[in-house]
Amino acid sequence: MPVQKVLSDSRVPVKIWSREVDEQAQRQLRHTGNLPFVFKWVAVMPDVHAGKGSTIGSVIATRGAIVPACVGVDLGCGMSAVRTTLLPEMLHDQLPVLRSFIEAAVPTGASMHRDDTKLCTLDETDLGILVNGAGAIESRCNLDGTSAKVLRGLSKFPTQLGTLGSGNHFIEVCISKKDQVWVMLHSGSRGVGNLIAQHHIEVARGLMKKMFIELPDLDLSYLVEKTREYDDYMNDMLWAQEFARLNRKVMMRSVLDQMRRLFPFQTGETIDCHHNYVSMEHHYGENVLVTRKGAVRAREGDLGIIPGSMGTRSYIVRGRGNPESFHSCSHGAGRRMSRTQARQLFTEKDLAEQTAGVECRKDLAVVDEIPGAYKSIDEVMANQADLVEPVEELKQVLCVKGT
C-alpha cells in the first residue's frame, strides 16, 4: 500500500504509512521535520504514536548532526527470534513449568544477576567488545569528570547482561502456521543504556542553551558533527547498541537452556534486529545517519521481526527495500493508548479474556500490556505491504513480561 498521509507544512515533508496519527505525534513530527539537518523527509511507520523526545515509529535521516532524544533512552532495543525443531504438541502440558523455569533464570524488571558470570558465556570477540569498550568509556568519563551517571551504569553492566528489563519487554514461545516452535524475545541495553542516553540528552540541551539556539521542543536538542560532544555520544551509543545485541544473545541462550531441561531439540535460523538505534547508511546518493526510533531496517532481503501484542500474533518479515521509507518497517503493533489509560480502562478479567490460551501473568501489574491497548497488528501489516513481505506468522503460547 502506498504512503497514505503526507504532512507538508514543515521544512521537509513527513511521509506516514498510516491513516491515523494522533495530534501530539503530528506535532512532534512537524517539529522534527523543521530541523535544518534532516535529509529528504521524515519517514513514519504504521505503528506510529507520540513518544518522549520524538515520535515512536519515526525514521530520521540526518547530515552533520544527531538528536540523542530521537534515538531514545533504550539504546539498541530490539528483537531476537530462533526457530527450533520442537513439535507443538510437546509443549502444552509443560508450559506452566517452562514459564516458571524461565522466570527463575532470567531477571526481569529492575532485577539483575547476582554476579558477572554471564560474561564468561561470551566468546572472545564479544567479550572484548564489551569489556574494552566499557573501559574506554570509563577512562574518558574519569578524565572529563562530568559523566557520573555513565560511570554508575558501567559498574552494573556485567550483572545486567542477560536480563529482560521492564515495560513491554518480553520472552515468548510461539507456534508458526507451519507448526514450528519459535522462541522470541524483546529487550535492549538495560540501565546502562538508559544512563548513557540521559547523560548525552542533557549535554545536548546544555549546548543549545549555550549557543542560544531556541527549539520548539528541548527534546530535539542536537549534537553537531566534528565536535567532542558528538564523538563522545556516538562512541557511547554504539557501545550500548552492542551491549543490547549481546544482552539478547545471552538471554536467548538462557531461555533455550531452560527449555532443554524439559525437551530435546535443535535450533535453526536466528534473527536479531535493533529497532531503537543509529547507523550510517547510503540513501539517495549520499551517506547519512539514519535514526530509527521504533523501526526496523528492511533492505531488500533483510529478515526482521514485527511483534504484535501478547494476545495476538507476530511476524517474521522480509524487507522489500523501499527507498521512501529509508529501507525501514514498523517495529511492532504500536500502542493506541497510554499505560495510564489502559490501567483505567481494563481489568484483570479483561486481560484474562484477551490472553486466553496464552500461559502468562494475568494480574493487575501487566494490565497496561493488554492486547486492547495496542493497535491491530493486521492493520499495521496491511499498511506496510510495500515495505515488507511476511514469511512466518507466529502465535504465542507462552509469554514472560518484563515487569
Side-chain angles (χ1 to χ4, degrees), residues 102-264:
I102 294 172
E103 289 175 342
V106 180
T108 62
S111 300
M112 296 175 279
H113 292 290
R114 294 180 179 178
D115 53 42
D116 62 359
T117 53
K118 288 297 180 182
L119 282 173
C120 301
T121 67
L122 296 173
D123 61 34
E124 187 175 344
T125 299
D126 289 340
L127 182 62
I129 288 172
L130 284 191
V131 175
N132 295 335
I137 297 171
E138 183 178 0
S139 295
R140 191 205 76 232
C141 291
N142 286 325
L143 185 65
D144 65 28
T146 61
S147 307
K149 281 185 177 181
V150 176
L151 286 171
R152 286 201 302 274
L154 288 171
S155 70
K156 296 179 180 179
F157 93 82
T159 51
Q160 290 182 334
L161 183 66
T163 64
L164 187 60
S166 58
N168 62 350
H169 293 162
F170 64 79
I171 299 167
E172 289 185 345
V173 177
C174 308
I175 298 175
S176 75
K177 278 197 166 181
K178 299 174 183 175
D179 278 334
Q180 295 175 321
V181 175
W182 287 70
V183 182
M184 177 184 298
L185 57 83
H186 171 210
S187 190
S189 54
R190 301 293 284 105
V192 62
N194 186 299
L195 291 173
I196 285 172
Q198 286 186 40
H199 165 72
H200 290 287
I201 289 170
E202 289 175 6
V203 168
R205 287 176 173 175
L207 285 173
M208 297 298 98
K209 184 177 180 180
K210 182 179 179 180
M211 295 187 290
F212 303 101
I213 296 174
E214 294 186 5
L215 296 165
D217 185 343
L218 267 179
D219 283 327
L220 293 178
S221 299
Y222 54 88
L223 303 171
V224 179
E225 194 174 2
K226 298 181 180 178
T227 64
R228 179 179 62 82
E229 293 84 1
Y230 175 96
D231 291 342
D232 288 349
Y233 174 69
M234 292 296 292
N235 179 73
D236 295 1
M237 177 269 298
L238 291 172
W239 178 87
Q241 289 183 183
E242 281 297 287
F243 175 76
R245 178 182 67 84
L246 294 173
N247 182 46
R248 291 191 294 271
K249 183 177 181 179
V250 170
M251 194 170 6
M252 180 63 79
R253 187 176 296 150
S254 295
V255 173
L256 295 173
D257 285 346
Q258 297 310 307
M259 294 177 68
R260 288 192 173 99
R261 294 174 62 183
L262 298 172
F263 321 105

Side-chain angles (χ1 to χ4, degrees), residues 315-361:
Y315 290 89
I316 306 297
V317 297
R318 182 178 291 110
R320 296 189 185 277
N322 189 319
E324 286 194 279
S325 70
F326 298 109
H327 299 166
S328 307
C329 68
S330 81
H331 81 311
R335 297 192 73 93
R336 67 182 182 91
M337 65 179 68
S338 69
R339 295 184 182 278
T340 300
Q341 289 173 318
R343 293 188 195 103
Q344 293 171 344
L345 184 62
F346 295 109
T347 65
E348 288 177 283
K349 181 181 177 183
D350 296 323
L351 179 62
E353 290 174 351
Q354 293 185 29
T355 59
V358 180
E359 173 59 40
C360 64
R361 290 176 57 183

Side-chain angles (χ1 to χ4, degrees), residues 302-323:
D302 277 351
L303 289 177
I305 307 164
I306 302 177
S309 66
M310 62 190 289
T312 54
R313 67 190 67 80
S314 300
Y315 290 89
I316 306 297
V317 297
R318 182 178 291 110
R320 296 189 185 277
N322 189 319

Side-chain angles (χ1 to χ4, degrees), residues 49-81:
H49 58 283
K52 181 172 175 55
S54 70
T55 316
I56 310 296
S58 57
V59 182
I60 309 162
T62 61
R63 293 179 296 184
I66 193 165
V67 183
C70 283
V71 189
V73 295
D74 196 357
L75 302 171
C77 184
M79 299 287 304
S80 187

